[in-house]
Amino acid sequence: AQTVTQSQPEMSVQEAETVTLSCTYDTSESDYYLFWYKQPPSRQMILVIRQEAYKQQNATENRFSVNFQKAAKSFSLKISDSQLGDAAMYFCASLLGSNYQLIWGAGTKLIIKP
Amino acid sequence: NAGVTQTPKFQVLKTGQSMTLQCAQDMNHEYMSWYRQDPGMGLRLIHYSVGAGITDQGEVPNGYNVSRSTTEDFPLRLLSAAPSQTSVYFCASSKPGGGDGYTFGSGTRLTVV
């Protein structure tokens, strides 16, 4: 079975500093997608960044970047220049190839200290 | 704005009552899904659809029914509400394959008393 693990229930960072959220996954498939979603207190799920497994280059979206280690099945999210608006729950998810649906980690609560 | 619309946003039900959570998207996405979110856990898939007239069960389908008569709409029916169904429910949609990522509705907080 495909699984996604986020080992950090909560992380905190000083405003303007850099923080890395960890995610590991397990899959028997060779081609898949990985995602990070942000869920602020408004409850809305917002796609932050996506990674295609067959691409070796790490995805970046402005201040957000990933460190994708396919052999280690690791997919961490780096947030640079943290802002107060980054405070939220962050979920890592993988796309299951058998039905193209998402498997989710339990989430990491990110706290930004002003 | 284009996106996924869920109604209602909040609902309180008594045990044994039935209800339908509505979901509509206007992006012409073929794939639609229902997830539930419980404290301390990631989202879990209830049911999904890869196109009009096609539905299938996810990880936690018991107690829920779905149908997909149009591309736009994917309602979730609770047949006989139980306290264990107290949760936040999300509807999501994507292009075929899901690789571009899913777009989510704003969620429905359901409490069963």
Side-chain angles (χ1 to χ4, degrees):
Chain A
Q2 194 153 327
T3 60
V4 176
T5 302
Q6 293 179 252
S7 59
Q8 305 154 317
E10 186 175 297
M11 292 281 287
S12 64
V13 64
Q14 207 71 34
E15 191 178 4
E17 294 187 346
T18 296
V19 64
T20 298
L21 308 184
S22 301
C23 173
T24 59
Y25 61 94
D26 188 18
T27 179
S28 58
E29 302 181 6
S30 59
D31 192 17
Y32 49 90
Y33 294 86
L34 298 165
F35 305 89
W36 279 98
Y37 278 85
K38 171 185 178 181
Q39 186 180 40
S42 67
R43 198 171 69 198
Q44 183 71 47
M45 279 289 187
I46 303 165
L47 179 62
V48 174
I49 199 165
R50 61 185 281 274
Q51 175 79 42
E52 299 172 58
Y54 66 87
K55 289 188 176 179
Q56 292 187 343
Q57 186 174 5
N58 290 326
T60 62
E61 289 286 344
N62 301 314
R63 298 182 295 108
F64 298 87
S65 62
V66 298
N67 183 6
F68 174 49
Q69 301 289 329
K70 190 171 184 178
K73 296 183 179 177
S74 171
F75 182 60
S76 60
L77 175 69
K78 185 172 82 171
I79 305 174
S80 304
D81 186 25
S82 298
Q83 301 175 0
L84 294 177
D86 295 334
M89 286 291 293
Y90 286 82
F91 292 92
C92 177
S94 68
L95 191 69
L96 191 62
S98 61
N99 62 9
Y100 303 104
Q101 302 301 315
L102 295 167
I103 303 296
W104 297 78
T108 297
K109 182 179 181 180
L110 179 62
I111 298 168
I112 310 294
K113 298 177 181 178
Chain B
N1 290 336
V4 179
T5 302
Q6 279 185 245
T7 55
K9 294 192 184 303
F10 301 92
Q11 183 71 50
V12 178
L13 287 179
K14 293 182 179 179
T15 297
Q17 286 185 320
S18 62
M19 78 160 296
T20 299
L21 305 185
Q22 301 291 344
C23 177
Q25 53 91 9
D26 58 3
M27 298 170 285
N28 203 32
H29 284 170
E30 291 189 29
Y31 285 24
M32 295 188 75
S33 311
W34 277 101
Y35 293 88
R36 60 178 287 172
Q37 182 179 29
D38 298 300
M41 303 178 68
L43 279 68
R44 291 183 293 168
L45 181 66
I46 304 171
H47 286 284
Y48 66 98
S49 169
V50 296
I54 305 169
T55 63
D56 207 344
Q57 297 180 352
E59 179 185 357
V60 288
N62 291 341
Y64 308 95
N65 270 357
V66 293
S67 60
R68 184 99 179 269
S69 57
T70 67
T71 299
E72 295 78 19
D73 299 300
F74 191 43
L76 177 72
R77 282 181 286 277
L78 279 70
L79 308 174
S80 176
S84 61
Q85 294 180 303
T86 293
S87 188
V88 178
Y89 292 85
F90 286 96
C91 179
S93 72
S94 85
K95 297 177 182 178
D100 288 345
Y102 276 78
T103 300
F104 283 78
S106 57
T108 297
R109 179 174 293 279
L110 174 68
T111 301
V112 182
V113 298

